[in-house]
Amino acid sequence: MAFDHNAVIASNDALRVPQREGWEHIREYFQQPDAPGEVGIVLPVGCGKSGLIAITPYAIHARRVLVIAPGTRIRGQLGEDLRANSPTNFYERCGVLGADDNFPETVVVASGRVNMDDIRHCEVAVANIQQIAGEENRWLDELEPDFFDLILVDEAHHNTAASWQQVKRRFPAARIVNFSATPMRADGALMEGEIIYSFPVLRAIEVGYVKRLRAKMLRPTELRYIDRSSGGERIIGADEVRALGESNAEFRRGIVMSEETLGSIVDQSIAELRRLREETGEQRLKIIASALNYDHCIQISEAFRARGLRADYVHSREAQANERVFQQLENHELDVIVQARMLGEGFDHKYLAVAMVGSVFANLSPFVQFVGRIMRVIEQNAPGHPLNQGVVVFHVGANVARRWNDFRAFSEADQGFFADLLPEAEEVEFSGDAAEREFGRRGGLDPVEVLEERGVRAADLDPIGDPHAAELLAQLAEMGVTPDQAAQEIRRLRMTRQDRREARRAALNERVQNESGGILGRLGISTGGRNLDPRRRERNFAWTVAQLHSRINERVGGQSADRQNFTLDQLNAAHEALPTVVRRLEEELRNATA
């Protein structure tokens, strides 16, 4: 099996420290004879969670693995990391497997792209939680209870207890490993399973995996607002602003939605962006802002646009428009991206440098995920680099300080770090429009450092010092083939079963259409006429295409209009049968029109 292979992990210097250590902890845990079957792994953003997911099956010599993502974007990213023919394949990029090794057969469970034949022949299936929980599940119940012996859950904090019971009942013997940057679930409860490994944030800072963060909290000396209980105006000081923010949900929402206070948060965020751009010379740095809802996205975007910045938003209601906005972000056509209900949905854009807290977070988990969007580094393995710094901007009246207390569930080092970073009763005094405190490991002024997880390491086809490789490269050069072209050819030869099936299916359709035109052309029959269809409904070309498809389906034992569920063997048989089917149909039409 694929995961019995002697993959290079424990001694692999290309892997990050938490990847190697996490793998060792998982291996040792499941070697215990009576160990419970569900555990948790906690890694800060930027510490290599996707890579640890990729190598975890080798820790327990899994037979078949189900990887569950919270949504389609992360599912796609994990698929690219795991699929053998992907240019970003993790096993190849980090030297876990060599070019001649057996890469795990990976299938991405996406509508219109996968069928049961793909799944039954895979060793890794990557799905999102919506596809395996609830009434819309189309494939889970067709699998045997022991089909998967390992389930790996990415961003496990997203999953509520109800959604998991169905999965656990379906594969009762499967071992489960949950991965997240926080042990808190979206519903406020702890993530399922005993946490057997946590990579402390302090340690991530020391080894340079996360950015340096600075916090700017807006604290007005006084605030005037309408007291709904009396209907009159009230003027309060900073301490009461904080107290109301802690106790009154309406007040918190007013802070982030009122034009005056929202404008202050927006202005401070812009000031931070301009400072970072000026200090670093990097004009691609950007702001990410959180919003309460759809209307609030529009309001915040408008506030930034009114100040001359290029801003747009993403929201769960705008699936198609979101792709356009993501592309604008990647093309550096935006200064600000605003989001609501999209936390953890793949905001892995390294130029996000300012996090504007424009929403109210009931639980720690979504807040940590939001701030994590600015924690990925621009310059890798460069602690203290000017580009590797980020700023979080928030208002004291939004009750952000309370969220940090939930970090008590982390290790002692994490608990101490976050308690000092933003204590429950923040006593820092502010003057003027804004004041800042630069937080360090123990409070004070020492900067907090944060570094990114996704080190892009290109697969090197030229192992230096290998005479056989040098000879091969010389031969390739004589043929006009570059190393990159050779690498692409290797990936092509490593095509997954799913890719081959999809390609065969698409090619069959194209061949049928091409052969249909050829039949009509050779017989001198107009493609646009309707004389071939006895009912005179379909045009000749469409009728011929339908006839070929129907006869091919009959030859290979497939149902009509069900080509998506044909096996790879059926599609191969269909390609082989096509010339005979074409010849017989052409003979029938020639005799009928003679």
Side-chain angles (χ1 to χ4, degrees):
M1 303 302 292
F3 302 112
D4 289 331
H5 190 280
N6 188 25
V8 182
I9 296 175
S11 61
N12 191 337
D13 291 336
L15 297 178
R16 295 200 168 200
V17 172
Q19 291 171 337
R20 295 196 300 269
E21 290 185 351
W23 183 82
E24 291 280 5
H25 276 73
I26 294 169
R27 184 178 65 169
E28 292 173 2
Y29 177 86
F30 284 110
Q31 285 177 346
Q32 303 176 69
D34 299 321
E38 182 169 12
V39 299
I41 301 290
V42 178
L43 296 185
V45 171
C47 289
K49 176 162 54 64
S50 297
L52 181 52
I53 289 174
I55 60 178
T56 291
Y58 292 95
I60 60 177
H61 302 296
R63 175 176 46 82
R64 188 178 287 111
V65 184
L66 173 61
V67 179
I68 303 174
T72 57
R73 290 184 65 84
I74 294 180
R75 179 191 66 190
Q77 292 168 5
L78 286 169
E80 288 302 302
D81 286 338
L82 295 169
R83 289 164 67 87
N85 64 325
S86 167
T88 59
N89 175 270
F90 179 82
Y91 302 112
E92 181 178 42
R93 175 158 48 91
C94 292
V96 174
L97 299 176
D100 297 330
D101 292 328
N102 293 322
F103 283 61
E105 180 71 31
T106 300
V107 60
V108 176
V109 183
S111 298
R113 288 201 60 208
V114 70
N115 65 17
M116 288 303 301
D117 184 59
D118 297 329
I119 295 172
R120 289 196 173 278
H121 284 86
C122 80
E123 288 156 325
V124 180
V126 185
N128 60 288
I129 185 63
Q130 293 83 2
Q131 292 172 302
I132 62 173
E135 297 179 356
E136 296 183 2
N137 165 47
R138 297 180 180 178
W139 57 276
L140 199 66
D141 293 336
E142 297 187 34
L143 302 175
E144 298 77 15
D146 62 348
F147 188 81
F148 294 108
D149 64 334
L150 176 63
I151 300 176
L152 306 178
V153 187
D154 190 17
E155 307 286 5
H157 61 277
H158 277 273
N159 303 315
T160 61
S163 67
W164 277 113
Q165 295 312 309
Q166 180 181 7
V167 179
K168 292 178 181 179
R169 286 194 303 267
R170 194 66 193 83
F171 305 107
R175 290 158 290 186
I176 302 173
V177 182
N178 296 308
F179 298 84
S180 181
T182 167
M184 304 299 293
R185 274 195 335 226
D187 58 4
L190 282 175
M191 181 174 67
E192 300 279 344
E194 175 190 353
I195 296 175
I196 62 171
Y197 179 72
S198 176
F199 193 69
V201 172
L202 284 181
R203 194 173 173 200
I205 293 169
E206 291 168 357
V207 296
Y209 290 161
V210 287
K211 274 181 182 174
R212 181 181 65 190
L213 284 181
R214 302 173 66 193
K216 287 206 171 182
M217 181 167 68
L218 302 179
R219 180 176 175 173
T221 56
E222 63 179 28
L223 182 72
R224 185 174 62 179
Y225 76 105
I226 300 295
D227 186 345
R228 290 190 175 183
S229 62
S230 65
E233 291 187 3
R234 284 197 65 201
I235 298 177
I236 57 177
D239 289 341
E240 193 167 358
V241 170
R242 182 184 63 203
L244 278 173
E246 293 174 352
S247 62
N248 190 313
E250 288 186 353
F251 185 83
R252 291 194 293 270
R253 291 174 65 87
I255 289 293
V256 296
M257 296 187 75
S258 299
E259 292 296 333
E260 288 295 324
T261 45
L262 174 61
S264 297
I265 306 172
V266 168
D267 287 337
Q268 188 62 48
S269 300
I270 294 174
E272 290 305 308
L273 178 66
R274 289 173 175 166
R275 179 185 62 80
L276 289 173
R277 285 179 171 180
E278 182 178 352
E279 289 179 358
T280 64
E282 179 55 78
Q283 298 303 307
R284 293 173 293 182
L285 299 179
K286 303 176 183 68
I287 297 170
I288 181 170
S290 65
L292 289 168
N293 50 40
Y294 188 86
D295 290 338
H296 201 210
C297 283
I298 298 173
Q299 181 187 10
I300 295 176
S301 298
E302 180 182 0
F304 279 109
R305 291 169 184 163
R307 291 160 171 80
L309 274 72
R310 301 168 297 175
D312 213 330
Y313 60 89
V314 291
H315 190 276
S316 57
R317 283 171 46 183
E318 298 287 345
Q320 292 183 344
N322 290 345
E323 293 304 318
R324 172 184 56 80
V325 176
F326 285 131
Q327 192 59 55
Q328 287 180 309
L329 188 73
E330 292 302 317
N331 294 341
H332 307 296
E333 297 169 353
L334 293 176
D335 302 302
V336 184
I337 184 168
V338 185
Q339 56 81 44
R341 302 180 186 178
M342 295 291 292
L343 298 175
E345 290 296 316
F347 280 107
D348 294 335
H349 183 75
K350 65 181 181 179
Y351 293 100
L352 296 176
V354 179
M356 191 203 92
V357 184
S359 57
V360 177
F361 293 95
N363 295 312
L364 169 68
S365 176
F367 180 77
V368 172
Q369 293 298 315
F370 169 66
V371 174
R373 299 313 94 191
I374 68 167
M375 290 171 64
R376 299 185 181 276
V377 296
I378 295 175
E379 293 294 330
Q380 297 183 45
N381 302 318
H385 193 284
L387 284 172
N388 294 336
Q389 58 178 313
V391 183
V392 182
V393 178
F394 55 88
H395 196 287
V396 67
N399 193 33
V400 174
R402 282 284 179 95
R403 302 288 67 83
W404 291 103
N405 292 330
D406 292 334
F407 274 102
R408 297 294 189 268
F410 267 131
S411 67
E412 182 176 353
D414 280 349
Q415 175 180 331
F417 165 68
F418 284 105
D420 287 341
L421 174 63
L422 195 57
E424 179 177 5
E426 175 61 66
E427 296 299 336
V428 178
E429 294 298 326
F430 285 73
S431 60
D433 294 335
E436 78 176 34
R437 177 188 180 191
E438 187 169 28
F439 299 102
R441 292 189 297 177
R442 294 286 179 261
L445 295 176
D446 292 336
V448 172
E449 298 177 355
V450 188
L451 230 193
E452 162 189 44
E453 147 188 33
R454 271 191 187 194
V456 178
R457 186 184 294 267
D460 193 350
L461 198 65
D462 181 10
I464 297 174
D466 187 334
H468 298 292
E471 181 180 349
L472 174 60
L473 289 173
Q475 294 175 358
L476 291 173
E478 291 178 1
M479 296 185 293
V481 179
T482 68
D484 285 343
Q485 289 170 333
Q488 291 175 4
E489 180 64 10
I490 290 174
R491 294 190 185 100
R492 185 191 68 79
L493 294 175
R494 235 167 38 210
M495 190 77 69
T496 67
R497 184 183 181 89
Q498 180 183 15
D499 287 325
R500 294 200 306 272
R501 185 188 58 78
E502 287 188 87
R504 292 297 274 169
R505 176 189 170 199
L508 181 61
N509 185 61
E510 293 171 356
R511 287 185 65 191
V512 165
Q513 295 195 47
N514 184 57
E515 292 289 357
S516 297
I519 291 172
L520 298 179
R522 288 189 294 271
L523 296 178
I525 299 175
S526 170
T527 59
R530 288 188 169 87
N531 55 297
L532 295 182
D533 182 3
R535 300 171 300 174
R536 299 296 191 267
R537 293 179 182 176
E538 290 187 334
R539 297 187 183 275
N540 292 337
F541 181 82
W543 182 89
T544 307
V545 168
Q547 282 290 311
L548 289 180
H549 278 309
S550 177
R551 297 180 184 209
I552 289 171
N553 292 348
E554 184 178 355
R555 286 287 295 269
V556 300
Q559 298 295 318
S560 297
D562 194 36
R563 189 68 57 74
Q564 164 61 23
N565 290 313
F566 276 24
T567 66
L568 180 59
D569 291 338
Q570 284 178 305
L571 290 170
N572 286 333
H575 276 275
E576 293 177 3
L578 181 58
T580 300
V581 173
V582 168
R583 185 173 61 253
R584 290 181 179 176
L585 178 60
E586 184 172 344
E587 291 174 355
E588 292 175 14
L589 293 178
R590 179 176 288 109
N591 294 333
T593 56

